[in-house]
Amino acid sequence: MSVDTCLFCQLVQGEDHLRKDDGFVAVPDINPQAEIHILIVPERHVDTFRDIAEFTATESKRMLEFIAETAAQLHIEDYKVLCNVGQGGGQTVFHLHWHLLSGPSMSRHIPAVALAEADE
Ligand code: 5GP
Ligand code: ZN
């Protein structure tokens, strides 16, 4: 996928960022699934989390710090961090990104077994 055709390669070039630092951006999700739903997107394109080895250890650490910093700066204390991996994992945009989800609807503990049962 090229920078010209990738939706999130375009998104990271845009202006609608909550924050942008060290090669990462935070933007509100266009179709929020929680009271607070923010996307954390690296500027550098890799298709999915499967390709995380393409990032250096420093970049990977910075990305995780950036997620935590974004939450802290927005005074979001309790939240979920989610990464859908591949079509079968619910991924729809094939440029690595993380969902930062918070609010009353996100307070429930979701054991893996509950996720499996939800689809039955
Ligand atoms: P995925 O399903 O790949 O894990 O997540 C893709 C996310 O990107 C979805 O939550 C979807 O609502 C969001 N999204 C899709 N297009 C746009 C867009 O143009 N702008 C923003 N801010 N979010 C988008
Ligand atoms: Zn991209």
Side-chain angles (χ1 to χ4, degrees):
M1 172 120 7
S2 80
V3 173
D4 292 337
T5 54
C6 172
L7 182 65
F8 281 5
C9 281
Q10 310 290 326
L11 185 81
V12 297
Q13 302 299 330
E15 302 289 323
D16 187 26
H17 301 139
L18 295 168
R19 66 185 291 244
K20 181 171 185 155
D21 201 10
D22 290 342
F24 302 97
V25 302
V27 292
D29 194 290
I30 202 170
N31 182 24
Q33 300 300 308
E35 291 77 6
I36 298 170
H37 187 170
I38 296 164
L39 298 174
I40 309 294
V41 187
E43 288 182 41
R44 181 143 80 82
H45 180 103
V46 299
D47 284 354
T48 81
F49 181 72
R50 284 190 211 112
D51 302 327
I52 193 67
E54 291 182 29
F55 281 55
T56 65
T58 303
E59 285 174 318
S60 291
K61 179 171 182 282
R62 187 70 197 106
M63 182 161 60
L64 295 179
E65 287 171 347
F66 186 90
I67 297 170
E69 283 172 10
T70 301
Q73 286 185 11
L74 296 172
H75 306 288
I76 304 166
E77 193 172 353
D78 298 328
Y79 52 90
K80 296 190 194 301
V81 176
L82 177 78
C83 181
N84 296 320
V85 186
Q87 227 169 8
Q91 186 176 2
T92 59
V93 177
F94 285 79
H95 176 132
L96 173 64
H97 57 278
W98 302 81
H99 299 260
L100 169 54
L101 299 147
S102 183
S105 65
M106 288 292 114
S107 65
R108 196 164 63 92
H109 170 64
I110 308 176
V113 65
L115 283 173
E117 285 168 356
D119 282 342
E120 284 176 4

